[in-house]
Amino acid sequence: MTNEAAPTPKPPARPSIGNPIARSHSVWRAGFEFESGVDGRTHVIDGNSKSAPSPVETLLNAIGTCAGSDVVDILEKQRTPVKRLEVDVVGTRRPEHPRRLIALEVTFTIEG
């Protein structure tokens, strides 16, 4: 592999008008392993779930932390500080390919 700088990702074909934009950039490393993220804030994702979380686990992690961040923000605005917050996300996938998610169950455990 070379140490060349990765090309800057192209903007979306239809830019968001007035809405915040979030981006991700993934680089294939080997096998089913990718390095994903932006601006030096990257993490490894492994399609085989051997050396890192799988893409689906990473998606569930993102759902849990995004929803958890909203809960913390809302409770802080209501002057109800959180002492402990845990978010469990269980995804049900189709048994056959494509094995996309068909249902999510999100459970919040909050102390405050």
Side-chain angles (χ1 to χ4, degrees):
M1 298 204 148
T2 64
N3 287 342
E4 296 178 22
T8 303
K10 295 179 183 176
R14 272 179 59 146
S16 176
I17 299 173
N19 295 324
I21 295 174
R23 297 184 191 277
S24 177
H25 180 74
S26 298
V27 178
W28 174 72
R29 295 297 179 205
F32 291 106
E33 199 172 285
F34 291 81
E35 185 173 337
S36 296
V38 292
D39 299 331
R41 297 174 287 119
T42 63
H43 58 275
V44 176
I45 299 173
D46 182 2
N48 284 328
S49 303
K50 291 180 181 174
S51 65
S54 73
V56 172
E57 290 166 333
T58 303
L59 175 62
L60 299 181
N61 292 340
I63 290 167
T65 56
C66 185
S69 297
D70 287 343
V71 168
V72 169
D73 185 45
I74 291 166
L75 290 174
E76 283 181 358
K77 288 178 180 173
Q78 294 179 347
R79 297 188 178 129
T80 308
V82 175
K83 289 184 182 175
R84 185 177 71 89
L85 169 65
E86 294 181 14
V87 184
D88 291 296
V89 182
V90 177
T92 302
R93 298 175 72 181
R94 285 173 31 117
E96 63 276 344
H97 289 279
R99 294 186 56 217
R100 66 181 179 269
L101 289 166
I102 57 174
L104 289 176
E105 178 182 314
V106 182
T107 304
F108 297 88
T109 305
I110 305 170
E111 272 185 34

